[in-house]
Amino acid sequence: FIALADPHLREDRPNEPTGVAKLEKALDVVRALPRPPAFILLLGDIHPEKLDPFMGNWPAPVHLVHGNHENAANRQQLRAMFAADFGDKDYYAFTHGDCRFIGLCTAMIGDHIGHFESQDITPKAGQLEFLEQELDQSQGMRARFLFAHVPPDESCKPLSDCLGTCEAKYLLQLVQDKNVTACFLGHRHANRLY
């Protein structure tokens, strides 16, 4: 599978390609791979009003999560466009082969600090219980992956572009305790390994 983060399709800055052009280029690279991916994880800050040209033209099925640039109407639109994943929640899980993929909503609307529970997340509470239940029920699977938009800071310091300190400590400990294979996170616009 492929993980793509922060396409920012609405971006149109002078002297650089638009967000749409950047995503088209990334998808051209995916299409040129010798073996196509089974699916694509899209890690937030999408701007769904610009997604129409891509619908039906993805090189592989897409599973996505919301970013902090998705407002309430955008989130509702994405839940409708990807209803098989989301249903009526902003977080979900799916199985591919013998692997479980858990998509979380860690992004608050317009805020660079992430949380697991908020008035911006549908439903407002219950995501942590969902995550723990998913990890418990998938213990016997070959691999378990988390994907979300706002990451924890590896040092758990309070930073303006990461999960809140308590959420970061909780997630990092949970990932270690539950033996999560890997996490794929966006938001920081940089390659970081934890």
Side-chain angles (χ1 to χ4, degrees):
F1 63 93
I2 300 282
L4 296 173
D6 300 76
H8 289 278
L9 296 177
R10 214 174 13 228
E11 281 186 358
D12 190 6
R13 296 179 182 160
N15 304 317
E16 72 175 64
T18 65
V20 169
K22 290 176 190 176
L23 181 58
E24 286 172 346
K25 183 177 179 180
L27 294 179
D28 286 344
V29 170
V30 172
R31 285 183 188 96
L33 293 172
R35 192 170 120 204
F39 56 88
I40 297 169
L41 299 177
L42 201 50
L43 306 176
D45 283 356
I46 298 158
H47 313 290
E49 66 276 13
K50 296 278 191 169
L51 265 182
D52 277 344
F54 296 97
M55 298 308 287
N57 294 313
W58 297 102
V62 172
H63 303 279
L64 59 84
V65 291
H66 306 308
N68 57 297
H69 287 273
E70 272 77 65
N71 63 30
N74 293 153
R75 290 171 185 221
Q76 186 174 8
Q77 182 181 2
L78 288 170
R79 281 194 304 272
M81 291 171 88
F82 296 88
D85 281 335
F86 285 110
D88 61 350
K89 296 180 179 174
D90 287 339
Y91 47 89
Y92 61 93
F94 68 94
T95 298
H96 181 80
D98 193 26
C99 300
R100 193 70 171 160
F101 292 81
I102 304 167
L104 302 173
C105 185
T106 57
M108 305 302 95
I109 296 169
D111 191 351
H112 287 273
I113 298 173
H115 299 284
F116 286 110
E117 311 226 342
S118 159
Q119 72 275 7
D120 292 341
I121 298 172
T122 302
K124 294 174 177 50
Q127 185 170 208
L128 294 180
E129 290 82 3
F130 166 82
L131 173 58
E132 290 175 4
Q133 183 179 32
E134 281 292 330
L135 290 174
D136 287 343
Q137 291 175 352
S138 62
Q139 284 284 11
M141 299 188 94
R142 183 171 62 88
R144 286 138 359 116
F145 301 94
L146 303 182
F147 62 106
H149 183 64
V150 180
D153 178 68
E154 57 271 24
S155 66
C156 294
K157 292 180 180 175
L159 297 175
S160 63
D161 63 349
C162 294
L163 283 173
T165 303
C166 292
E167 285 97 341
K169 288 179 181 178
Y170 166 83
L171 183 61
L172 292 170
Q173 190 64 54
L174 185 70
V175 163
Q176 185 177 21
D177 291 348
K178 299 290 185 176
N179 224 7
V180 172
T181 307
C183 300
F184 296 91
L185 306 148
H187 190 56
R188 294 185 93 179
H189 300 205
N191 292 328
R192 292 163 111 41
L193 297 174
Y194 296 83

